[in-house]
Amino acid sequence: SALLGLYGVEMPTRHAVEQCRIIVLACEQLATACDNLKGMRGVQEALVELKSLEDEGDRVLRDAVATLFRGERIDPLIVIRWKDIYEALERALDACETTANVITNIVVKNA
């Protein structure tokens, strides 16, 4: 959200909204995994779903960046701004995946 303010973005793109939707779902899966960690039930399913969401996020990022470069008369500053925003959103999703990997290690060590 800081980048939106910094770049003066007034309206998000559909790709940015989709990335945010995926991040929210990934965070919900992390919450489920953490809530179930003590009993070890449902953790693996949440982590598998999170991996699927991360893969979906990667596809959305590729499509978003490709869309930026398809426009013949798009302002280069717009491309720079949105590419930066898309990549920041992808880093947030990658952080969810990293957290999922830590949880997976905990599950394996305690199995």
Side-chain angles (χ1 to χ4, degrees):
S1 65
L3 288 176
L4 296 176
L6 177 70
Y7 291 141
V9 173
E10 295 179 12
M11 190 67 124
T13 65
R14 68 179 174 85
H15 291 104
V17 171
E18 183 66 9
Q19 281 182 296
C20 289
R21 181 191 69 79
I22 294 168
I23 292 167
V24 168
L25 292 173
C27 289
E28 289 171 352
Q29 292 303 317
L30 282 176
T32 298
C34 288
D35 288 346
N36 295 328
L37 198 54
K38 188 171 185 175
M40 298 290 186
R41 292 182 183 248
V43 174
Q44 203 60 30
E45 294 84 358
L47 298 177
V48 167
E49 178 60 25
L50 192 141
K51 176 59 179 149
S52 174
L53 289 166
E54 206 281 327
D55 291 343
E56 182 182 353
D58 288 342
R59 285 189 299 275
V60 171
L61 174 65
R62 285 190 303 273
D63 185 45
V65 172
T67 300
L68 285 175
F69 289 97
R70 278 190 204 119
E72 291 180 22
R73 295 187 176 197
I74 191 164
D75 181 350
L77 291 177
I78 298 292
V79 171
I80 292 167
R81 288 176 187 150
W82 279 109
K83 188 172 182 297
D84 195 27
I85 292 168
Y86 293 149
E87 288 172 349
L89 291 168
E90 176 61 21
R91 285 191 301 275
L93 191 54
D94 286 345
C96 291
E97 183 182 32
T98 299
T99 304
N101 292 338
V102 170
I103 293 171
T104 298
N105 291 339
I106 292 168
V107 169
V108 168
K109 287 180 181 180
N110 291 292

